[in-house]
């Protein structure tokens, strides 16, 4: 695998994670539990779509085949999406939505902080902008985990159920393969070890304050990074890509 | 009695002198009620208005459009918040105002009871619906009640961006493939008349108009605003090669305005009465969001109370 191929794959992974999670969050727009939360979730969706666009544009440049951000988002099929399964799971109740955001943010922040030192200037610049956004997002998702865990009996039960269900999808966040190996060697992406340690520390601290129990690391789902997804992704793409597929080549 | 009469005279003198009425000022009960009704309807319209546009977020045709649409709908939620706050300055809590909406007691703009059937509807809603709303809102920047007028200044800035993006969507579609052009024309055909109805009944049949004008809550009549909207929008349609669906539409040299056909007020009254294409869905969606969110709000309150107690201990 060449460095260019690895960098292209890496940008797709980052772009797809953000794109798909943004899409799920955008489904809440107009349906949030409180107007303030509706605004906050939409903010999150907007931050993530912005980050996705940065990565997909850069992926197109790296690939050098004139593919735009929209070609990559709207004209790839299920098996060509490289996001983790965690982000494609349906929203569930608000506790599921928040727990997923929290787990994602707790991984995403240290990863992006490390990417600020990337030998690749573009990745470093994307990370510098993203870190400001994710710092805030992690604070809010962590605060909600604490409110839910230490709120009412019902909110505690819902938050714990969400964590228990989603935990099996967190393993994928830390998987590494040849793509990472090539780029780590070139100083373009960080080693995953310290990212996992930062994730563990943050999750433990927040769950402790939230009086929630950290699920045991048992069986972990895998496959997303190889384009082997859950059945949910196909439906999401069918909806998302509908206009581009129905009217090929049209400008919007 | 003399006291109240004096207060009323002072109040009217203030309004006539173009001074703003502020929350702690004395105001007639009717003025307060009228404002609570109007501002809360306006707030509900912003919030319910998120639904027909939200219908296309997950199907927006490209990433740029999706981001713009998300940001636009988020603005509407923000407008709802300011306006609920403006109602609170008149002594009515947000909970009470929202409950009136959820219970079907309060009204919101009937336009949001129409469905967004194609992507072009997102263009039409921005161009026509936000365009019609702006006519009203620009006038309201000069309304006599201070908090409402100030909220409107900010809202107008954002709404004019919304209208431009809607028009831009229509403009791109009208320059696109034959199918896209047809989609744009069809959206204009469906949204034109409901948009004209947004200005409300003709002045002769508008129950609150005369008093609202005297109190300077309203500063221009429904018909005047509607005419300004028609004059502007017809020209905008021409620029992008779309045809306004009114066979009677004709420029009148002597009035320097467009003459136009009769609005079907039976349809308007029907939709207001609850029989529009989406009345039930809209209210059901708001109620579902509220009910599903109950435990979230309770958890936030319970945690805040625990935290305060711990701090005090």
């Amino acid at each position: 695998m060449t460095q260019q191929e690895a960098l292209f794959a890496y940008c797709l992974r980052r772009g797809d994670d953000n794109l798909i999670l943004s899409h799920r969050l955008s489904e809440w727009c107009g349906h949030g539990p409180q107007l303030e939360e509706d605004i906050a979730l939409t903010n999150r969706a907007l931050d993530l779509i912005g980050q996705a666009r940065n990565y997909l544009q850069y992926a197109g440049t790296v690939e050098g085949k004139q593919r735009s951000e929209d070609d990559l988002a709207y004209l790839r099929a299920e098996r060509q999406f490289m996001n983790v399964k965690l982000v494609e799971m349906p929203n569930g109740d608000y506790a599921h939505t928040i727990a997923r955001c929290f787990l994602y943010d707790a991984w995403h922040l240290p990863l992006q902080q490390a990417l600020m030192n990337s030998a690749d200037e573009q990745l470093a610049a994307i990370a510098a902008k993203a870190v400001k956004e994710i710092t805030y997002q992690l604070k809010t998702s962590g605060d909600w985990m604490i409110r839910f865990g230490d709120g009412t009996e019902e909110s505690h039960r819902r938050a714990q159920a969400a964590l228990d269900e989603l935990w099996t999808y967190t393993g994928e966040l830390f998987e590494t393969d040849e793509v990472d190996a090539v780029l780590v060697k070139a100083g373009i992406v960080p080693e995953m070890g310290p990212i996992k340690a930062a994730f563990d520390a943050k999750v433990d601290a927040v769950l402790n304050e939230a009086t929630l129990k950290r699920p045991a690391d048992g069986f972990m789902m895998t496959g997303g990074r190889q384009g082997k997804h859950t059945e949910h992704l196909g439906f999401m793409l069918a909806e998302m890509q509908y206009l581009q597929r129905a009217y090929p080549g049209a400008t919007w | 009695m003399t006291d109240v009469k004096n207060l009323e005279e002072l109040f009217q003198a203030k309004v006539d002198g173009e001074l703003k009425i502020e929350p702690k000022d004395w105001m007639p009960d009717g003025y307060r009620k009228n404002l609570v009704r109007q501002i809360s309807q306006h707030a509900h319209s912003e919030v319910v208005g998120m639904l027909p546009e939200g219908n296309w977020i997950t199907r927006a045709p490209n990433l740029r459009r999706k981001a713009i649409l998300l940001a636009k709908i988020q603005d509407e939620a923000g407008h709802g918040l300011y306006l609920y706050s403006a109602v609170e300055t008149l002594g009515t809590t947000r909970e009470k105002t929202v409950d009136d909406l959820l219970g079907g007691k309060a009204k919101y703009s009937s336009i949001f009871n129409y469905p967004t059937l194609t992507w072009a509807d997102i263009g039409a809603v921005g161009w026509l619906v936000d365009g019609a709303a702006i006519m009203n809102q620009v006038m309201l920047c000069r309304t006599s009640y201070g908090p409402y007028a100030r909220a409107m200044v900010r809202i107008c800035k954002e709404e004019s961006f919304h209208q431009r993006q809607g028009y831009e969507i229509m403009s791109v579609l009208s320059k696109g493939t034959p199918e896209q052009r047809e989609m744009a024309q069809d959206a204009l055909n469906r949204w034109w008349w409901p948009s004209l109805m947004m200005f409300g009944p003709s002045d002769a049949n508008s129950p609150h108009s005369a008093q609202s004008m005297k109190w300077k809550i309203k500063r221009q009549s429904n018909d005047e605003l509607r005419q300004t909207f028609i004059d502007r929008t017809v020209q905008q349609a021409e620029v992008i090669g779309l045809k306004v669906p009114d066979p009677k539409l004709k420029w009148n040299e002597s009035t320097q305005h467009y003459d136009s056909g009769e609005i079907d007020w039976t349809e308007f009254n029907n939709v207001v009465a609850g029989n529009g294409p989406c009345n039930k869905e809209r209210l059901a969606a708001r109620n579902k969001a509220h009910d599903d969110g109950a435990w979230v709000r309770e958890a936030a309150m319970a945690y805040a109370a625990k935290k305060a107690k711990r701090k005090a201990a």
Side-chain angles (χ1 to χ4, degrees):
Chain A
M1 182 178 283
T2 66
Q3 189 173 307
Q4 185 202 9
E5 285 164 348
L7 185 55
F8 174 65
Y10 192 82
C11 288
L12 281 188
R13 290 173 181 185
R14 296 287 81 78
D16 290 348
D17 284 342
N18 291 323
L19 178 69
I20 301 300
L21 184 53
S22 166
H23 190 96
R24 281 292 183 225
L25 290 170
S26 77
E27 292 171 358
W28 274 102
C29 185
H31 307 276
Q34 171 96 330
L35 264 182
E36 286 85 344
E37 279 305 291
D38 215 301
I39 292 172
L41 278 183
T42 306
N43 234 10
R44 210 176 242 287
L46 277 166
D47 283 349
L48 289 169
I49 202 172
Q51 292 165 24
R53 292 178 70 183
N54 288 339
Y55 278 115
L56 293 179
Q57 284 164 12
Y58 190 42
T61 309
V62 170
E63 188 193 34
K65 291 184 184 166
Q66 315 288 319
R67 282 205 280 181
S68 68
E69 58 177 23
D70 290 326
D71 292 336
L72 290 169
Y74 292 88
L75 299 176
R76 278 181 299 149
E78 295 89 332
R79 294 278 283 109
Q80 294 157 339
F81 272 77
M82 297 299 155
N83 55 283
V84 288
K85 289 176 174 173
L86 176 70
V87 294
E88 71 200 42
M89 299 302 286
N91 284 327
D93 66 6
Y94 204 62
H96 272 77
T97 295
I98 291 294
R100 167 170 47 200
C101 286
F102 172 65
L103 295 170
Y104 187 79
D105 297 342
W107 159 81
H108 204 199
L109 182 62
L111 175 67
Q112 292 292 340
Q113 282 169 332
L115 280 166
M116 285 170 73
N117 302 317
S118 171
D120 184 291
E121 276 177 25
Q122 188 62 25
L123 285 193
I126 293 172
K129 182 169 184 293
V131 160
K132 289 181 200 149
E133 295 166 349
I134 306 163
T135 302
Y136 175 76
Q137 304 301 5
L138 177 56
K139 164 113 184 53
T140 59
S141 58
D143 285 350
W144 272 109
M145 288 306 288
I146 294 166
R147 268 184 216 117
F148 286 161
D150 197 16
T152 62
E153 246 174 70
E154 180 177 8
S155 67
H156 181 96
R157 175 174 56 72
R158 285 177 183 266
Q160 188 64 56
L163 274 178
D164 292 346
E165 193 180 317
L166 293 171
W167 195 255
T168 181
Y169 292 96
T170 57
E172 245 188 325
L173 295 168
F174 304 99
E175 284 176 2
T176 54
D177 59 10
E178 198 188 345
V179 169
D180 300 88
V182 169
L183 298 174
V184 166
K185 206 171 157 197
I188 293 173
V189 311
E191 298 266 10
M192 212 35 116
I195 314 288
K196 178 75 163 70
F199 169 89
D200 284 339
K202 183 70 190 178
V203 168
D204 287 346
V206 167
L207 296 192
N208 184 42
E209 193 177 343
T211 69
L212 291 166
K213 205 167 149 265
R214 178 181 168 132
D217 285 337
F219 169 75
M220 288 291 178
M221 289 285 180
T222 182
R225 298 286 186 224
Q226 285 77 47
K228 290 184 235 168
H229 293 278
T230 67
E231 290 178 344
H232 305 294
L233 185 71
F235 288 96
M236 184 200 284
L237 295 181
E239 188 173 330
M240 185 173 102
Q241 299 180 337
Y242 146 68
L243 281 172
Q244 292 274 355
R245 301 287 191 183
Y247 303 95
T251 303
W252 302 92
Chain B
M1 280 309 281
T2 339
D3 283 353
V4 171
K5 196 167 172 253
N6 281 342
L7 285 168
E8 276 191 6
E9 278 167 10
L10 279 171
F11 171 85
Q12 190 62 47
K14 217 168 161 182
V15 168
D16 292 341
E18 297 293 336
L19 291 171
K20 294 284 180 236
I21 306 301
E22 296 299 336
K24 287 185 176 160
D25 295 348
W26 186 89
M27 61 186 83
D29 279 351
Y31 179 83
R32 186 184 299 273
K33 272 187 202 147
N34 196 325
L35 274 174
V36 166
R37 180 185 54 80
Q38 185 174 332
I39 306 174
S40 60
Q41 278 182 14
H42 191 164
H44 299 327
S45 301
E46 298 283 356
V47 173
V48 176
M50 297 166 73
L51 299 169
E53 295 191 278
N55 183 39
W56 276 90
I57 292 174
T58 56
R59 290 175 294 168
N62 59 42
L63 296 179
R64 173 175 166 264
R65 291 282 180 212
K66 189 167 166 177
I68 293 173
L69 185 58
L70 274 168
K72 176 184 191 296
I73 301 173
Q74 187 188 37
D75 283 349
E76 313 293 7
H79 299 171
L81 271 184
Y82 303 153
L83 290 167
Y84 284 128
S85 305
V87 177
E88 291 201 307
T89 66
L90 291 159
T92 305
T93 63
R94 181 164 146 197
E95 289 71 23
K96 160 88 173 70
T97 308
V98 171
D99 281 348
D100 285 349
L101 170 71
L102 299 175
K105 196 175 145 201
K107 300 230 178 313
Y108 53 86
S109 180
S110 274
I111 194 85
F112 300 118
N113 290 318
Y114 288 86
T116 49
L117 300 179
T118 71
W119 170 252
D121 289 34
I122 297 306
V125 167
W127 176 32
L128 303 173
V129 176
D130 290 325
I134 289 170
M135 295 287 153
N136 240 313
Q137 289 164 351
V138 166
M139 167 188 79
L140 290 170
C141 292
R142 296 185 297 123
T143 195
S144 57
Y145 187 58
Y148 194 23
R150 289 189 289 272
M152 252 344 114
V153 172
R154 178 153 176 199
I155 289 175
C156 275
K157 282 183 194 155
E158 294 179 347
E159 290 292 355
S160 76
F161 157 75
H162 297 170
Q163 198 213 1
R164 279 204 301 275
Q165 68 84 35
Y167 186 62
E168 197 227 332
I169 290 176
M170 293 300 261
S171 163
V172 169
L173 292 176
S174 70
K175 283 183 230 141
T177 65
E179 288 155 311
Q180 285 177 304
R181 221 188 126 66
E182 196 184 316
M183 201 186 272
Q185 182 63 55
D186 171 62
L188 172 57
N189 294 348
R190 283 180 290 109
W191 288 92
W192 175 254
W193 292 104
S195 298
L196 296 188
M197 294 174 198
M198 281 177 72
F199 295 94
S202 282
D203 303 336
N205 301 317
S206 178
H208 305 287
S209 274
Q211 184 61 66
S212 288
M213 294 282 263
K214 186 173 178 235
W215 280 331
K216 295 192 195 285
I217 294 176
K218 279 178 78 148
R219 326 241 355 179
Q220 283 168 289
S221 78
N222 293 351
D223 288 333
E224 276 176 278
L225 291 168
R226 183 162 27 233
Q227 187 64 54
T228 313
F229 175 76
I230 292 173
D231 291 346
R232 266 187 217 178
T233 313
V234 168
Q235 290 170 6
Q236 290 167 352
E238 274 170 15
V239 170
I240 56 175
L242 295 178
K243 197 172 174 317
V244 170
D246 178 357
K248 291 192 177 157
L249 195 76
K250 204 179 153 207
W251 178 251
N252 183 329
E253 266 304 324
S254 63
T255 60
Q256 289 292 300
H257 290 295
Y258 281 94
D259 291 336
S260 53
E262 267 298 295
I263 290 171
D264 177 4
W265 291 110
T266 318
E267 174 179 329
F268 176 77
N269 291 327
N270 245 322
V271 180
V272 171
N275 300 318
C278 301
N279 297 53
K280 288 193 178 66
E281 286 91 334
R282 301 294 184 241
L283 211 51
R286 285 316 308 158
N287 271 292
K288 183 174 189 310
H290 188 78
D291 295 345
D292 289 353
W295 71 267
V296 177
R297 297 189 298 274
E298 280 160 21
M301 299 296 282
Y303 178 73
K306 277 188 200 175
K307 211 176 161 186
K309 205 173 158 191
R310 277 177 214 149
K311 213 173 172 183

